[in-house]
Amino acid sequence: MRNTGHFIRKSVCLYACILTFSCTNTIDTEITVTERLSTEEYNIHYISNQTPLQPQQFIKLPVGSIQAGGWLKKQLELQRDGLNGHLAEISAWLQKEDNAWLTNGGKWGWEEVPYWLRGYGNLAYTLNDQDMIKETLFWIEHILKSQRPDGNFGPVQLNDGKQDFWPNMIVLWIMQSYYEYTNDRRVIDFMNRYSDYLLTVPDEDFLYSYWENSRGGDNLWSVAWLYNRTRDEKLLKLAEKIHRNTADWTRSTQLPNWHNVNIAQCFREPATYYMFSKDSAMLSASYNVQSLIRRAFGQAPGGMFGADENARIGFFDPRQGTETCGFVEQMASDEIMLLITGDPYWAEHCEDVAFNSYPASMMPDYKALRYITSPNHVISDSKNHHPGIDNKGPFLAMNPFSSRCCQHNHGFGWPYYTEHLVLATPDNGIAAVLYNACKATAKVANGVEIIIHEETNYPFEEKIRFTIETPESVTFPFYLRIPSWCKNASVSINGKKANDKLTAGQYARIDRQWNTGDVVELNVPMDYSIRRWQVNKNSTSVNYGPLTLSLRIEENYKKMDSRETAIWDSKWQEGADASQWPSYEIFPGSPWNYALATHSPITIERKPWPEDNNPFTLENTPLVFKAKGRLIPEWTIDEYGLCGVLPYENSKKSDQQDNILLVPMGAARLRITAFPYTEE
């Protein structure tokens, strides 16, 4: 985790610090290393920030341009076949009868339909699933038709007589993706009329209630998107109005509130407004919140922070967790911050959450999820663990109805991640920034449409292979992010090593004339690194490249009736077959209270790649690590039924040193990830 000073220096010097050197492999190939991309040029193929907005470092390709492969495609397919793909059949909030998003005055209508549709729709586009696309369009058509003469749309939820605009913010993101996929002009007209309406709402009635006030940045991002397509100056006024009425996320040591999802989602608001104001203090403020919450409550591995639902003084042990909503919102924030700043930190942080924290928040078949998931998580039952965690209810069990927000919102994590794997650049080039198997179609140079085939099992292997498919020879820059944890990265082109002086934490830019069949191979050797979490009793975590490792705990699953273990506001559709959507409790079947022997070697055992292409289970993980540890008898389940807080460094440890196994954190639904340590 970078410190705050580093964050602020990076944000203030964002476009000033460009370091390069070149290495000529052949006459027509030059490789340079750069800390940031130049924004002096303007991409002629893809819409990015228009004057007077601050230029973007990266530009997202239109939805549908990237098709996932490998293990990522498997996660998307599991999502399609699991809860997100079938939630409309079982959730009362998504039933079509008496639904306020379909019928004026309907009973069912707040954030649930937009939350679900955002993930469901983008999943449909990414997989090109025609049945899902048809279902998506059904809802979108009704939302378009719901727009009233004044420009407002959808169900009107009131708080003290004032409209709650929060659900509409999510709908705007849905409309943006739909437009990128279809170019349906009605979306622009719909968003324009709604913007006109928002300008008429008095400040005292605008973004009044808790959720919308915190999350105004989501609306601000949509205003930027629309302005870049219309150049309508009224939108600059609307941006300023949204910013002044949104909660203040710019304070140096305080946050407007300490709700975990709000923080993960809303810290980007000042950086988004920076695009309009060009005030570097706004950009620095977003970096500050990212750092502040992690200094105070994020002294644990996995990229997140221990807020459960709300961060509380005295509750920052790694047994505190994050909502599944928080994981996917943080990933989206990282992606947006990457587009705005170009800082490779945001790509690495997105990977940290995506590879280590997010996968284990769900059952391997994606048919149930856990409201709270923690770095140290050794029991996953349906009991009420309050006040050990700041939620009253069965929030640790895997349940298809736990809770309303995460149940509907979890689905946009992987589709949005897929859409940001490969990005366009201001100089009409292309950049691979989040590494995963995919096929990306993009226009480069003067309009040549190329396809980049990316093959890899990253982060479970070190090689990432790109094959260029182009109808003609074309010259354009191709950027590759060099991870900060990788000290000896190398690039080869068509089998010949091209550069062995790549700088960790920067971008390699390859300039050459590309021909179909050209192959670029990036090698990112992985090694072990140890992190000490000083605030949390000098506990230790182990990384292997971008992967964080957890103790392998045998997981004993107990199947439950989800109607009996779900929280109070879960609502089943009438006639839904609950037996097809069970809940699971998970209990440890092996000791978990180990101190890690940090001076003993850790060795890796590579296993065959899983036949089902899903590496995020204990049975299928292709990487297992052998280590040494000693039991700590006094470290037990505490009075709240949770993994006890970390023991002190001098706690009594067993005389016997045991062989223990570590696995990637994302594969461990029960885990110890922040270890007490022993030197031997």
Side-chain angles (χ1 to χ4, degrees), residues 466-541:
F466 303 90
T467 303
I468 306 297
E469 181 182 337
T470 175
E472 60 187 76
S473 297
V474 59
T475 300
F476 65 90
F478 183 23
Y479 294 85
L480 301 173
R481 177 180 59 85
I482 309 303
S484 66
W485 46 260
C486 183
K487 307 307 178 188
N488 296 296
S490 62
V491 168
S492 65
I493 300 175
N494 296 331
K496 295 182 179 180
K497 193 170 184 178
N499 198 325
D500 59 0
K501 297 181 180 179
L502 302 178
T503 305
Q506 298 190 11
Y507 298 98
R509 169 179 165 149
I510 307 173
D511 281 289
R512 65 178 269 125
Q513 184 182 80
W514 300 93
N515 296 292
T516 201
D518 281 347
V519 174
V520 176
E521 189 171 88
L522 173 64
N523 188 33
V524 286
M526 299 179 188
D527 206 349
Y528 303 99
S529 60
I530 300 291
R531 295 190 68 177
R532 284 282 168 80
W533 305 95
Q534 192 173 27
V535 171
N536 271 323
K537 299 172 185 172
N538 267 327
S539 55
T540 293
S541 63

Side-chain angles (χ1 to χ4, degrees), residues 106 156 189 314 322 397 589 647:
V156 176
D189 296 337
T322 307

Side-chain angles (χ1 to χ4, degrees), residues 43-226:
N43 192 293
I44 61 176
H45 311 300
Y46 300 108
I47 296 173
S48 61
N49 284 354
Q50 305 286 306
T51 305
L53 272 59
Q54 176 71 45
Q56 289 174 238
Q57 286 269 300
F58 290 116
I59 305 153
K60 189 174 81 69
L61 299 175
V63 172
S65 301
I66 301 174
Q67 296 174 296
W71 67 256
L72 177 58
K73 183 179 181 181
K74 179 64 175 181
Q75 305 307 303
L76 295 170
E77 291 171 342
L78 287 168
Q79 181 177 323
R80 175 199 63 197
D81 299 336
L83 186 60
N84 181 250
H86 292 274
L87 195 57
E89 303 164 18
I90 61 175
S91 169
W93 304 96
L94 305 185
Q95 61 189 336
K96 292 174 179 174
E97 183 179 351
D98 204 20
N99 194 295
W101 289 98
L102 303 177
T103 304
N104 186 30
K107 174 183 177 182
W108 306 96
W110 188 48
E111 67 181 6
E112 292 79 18
V113 164
Y115 260 167
W116 163 75
L117 190 59
R118 175 168 58 173
Y120 183 90
N122 283 60
L123 178 64
Y125 308 143
T126 299
L127 292 177
N128 195 28
D129 187 303
Q130 293 304 309
D131 289 337
M132 293 179 68
I133 290 172
K134 182 179 179 181
E135 179 70 8
T136 300
L137 296 185
F138 170 85
W139 290 91
I140 287 176
E141 288 291 344
H142 278 83
I143 293 172
L144 288 170
K145 291 175 183 176
S146 77
Q147 190 163 45
R148 296 178 280 280
D150 64 359
N152 200 5
F153 69 89
V156 176
Q157 298 285 337
L158 298 177
N159 292 294
D160 296 335
K162 306 174 192 295
Q163 180 176 342
D164 179 0
F165 292 99
W166 159 236
N168 289 19
M169 298 184 201
I170 314 169
V171 169
L172 296 180
W173 285 37
I174 294 167
M175 292 300 179
Q176 290 158 215
S177 293
Y178 171 65
Y179 177 83
E180 291 179 17
Y181 188 71
T182 64
N183 289 314
D184 188 335
R185 178 68 196 185
R186 292 180 300 164
V187 169
I188 303 298
D189 296 337
F190 174 87
M191 292 178 66
N192 256 325
R193 290 194 294 269
Y194 183 61
S195 297
D196 288 337
Y197 171 72
L198 292 182
L199 284 167
T200 69
V201 179
D203 276 20
E204 59 268 23
D205 296 336
F206 187 52
L207 306 184
Y208 167 80
S209 60
Y210 177 73
W211 299 113
E212 58 179 336
N213 182 250
S214 294
R215 300 173 177 181
D218 281 34
N219 203 156
L220 190 60
W221 183 248
S222 296
V223 170
W225 184 93
L226 184 60

Side-chain angles (χ1 to χ4, degrees), residues 82 163 211 259 304 396 448 464 469 624:
Q163 180 176 342
W211 299 113
H259 185 273
M304 294 301 293
L396 297 188
V448 177
I464 306 160
E469 181 182 337
V624 176

Side-chain angles (χ1 to χ4, degrees), residues 589-605:
S590 59
W592 55 264
N593 49 335
Y594 275 102
L596 181 68
T598 55
H599 286 189
S600 296
I602 298 174
T603 58
I604 186 171
E605 178 185 349

Side-chain angles (χ1 to χ4, degrees), residues 374-522:
S374 310
N376 284 3
H377 199 136
V378 301
I379 193 164
S380 190
D381 62 15
S382 53
K383 294 180 180 179
N384 178 7
H385 294 278
H386 183 80
I389 60 172
D390 190 29
N391 307 81
K392 294 181 180 179
F395 289 113
L396 297 188
M398 293 285 188
N399 195 300
F401 282 88
S402 187
S403 153
R404 250 171 72 189
C405 55
C406 299
Q407 174 195 29
H408 295 90
N409 192 34
H410 74 278
F412 87 107
W414 287 131
Y416 272 51
Y417 167 81
T418 302
E419 293 169 15
H420 289 81
L421 294 176
V422 177
L423 303 172
T425 60
D427 52 10
N428 297 307
I430 208 75
V433 290
L434 297 170
Y435 294 125
N436 223 303
C438 68
K439 182 177 81 171
T441 302
K443 291 181 180 180
V444 296
N446 291 320
V448 177
E449 186 171 86
I450 67 165
I451 298 175
I452 295 179
H453 301 269
E454 183 175 351
E455 301 169 272
T456 186
N457 286 324
Y458 178 90
F460 302 96
E461 69 178 27
E462 300 171 336
K463 293 187 183 299
I464 306 160
R465 179 185 174 94
F466 303 90
T467 303
I468 306 297
E469 181 182 337
T470 175
E472 60 187 76
S473 297
V474 59
T475 300
F476 65 90
F478 183 23
Y479 294 85
L480 301 173
R481 177 180 59 85
I482 309 303
S484 66
W485 46 260
C486 183
K487 307 307 178 188
N488 296 296
S490 62
V491 168
S492 65
I493 300 175
N494 296 331
K496 295 182 179 180
K497 193 170 184 178
N499 198 325
D500 59 0
K501 297 181 180 179
L502 302 178
T503 305
Q506 298 190 11
Y507 298 98
R509 169 179 165 149
I510 307 173
D511 281 289
R512 65 178 269 125
Q513 184 182 80
W514 300 93
N515 296 292
T516 201
D518 281 347
V519 174
V520 176
E521 189 171 88
L522 173 64

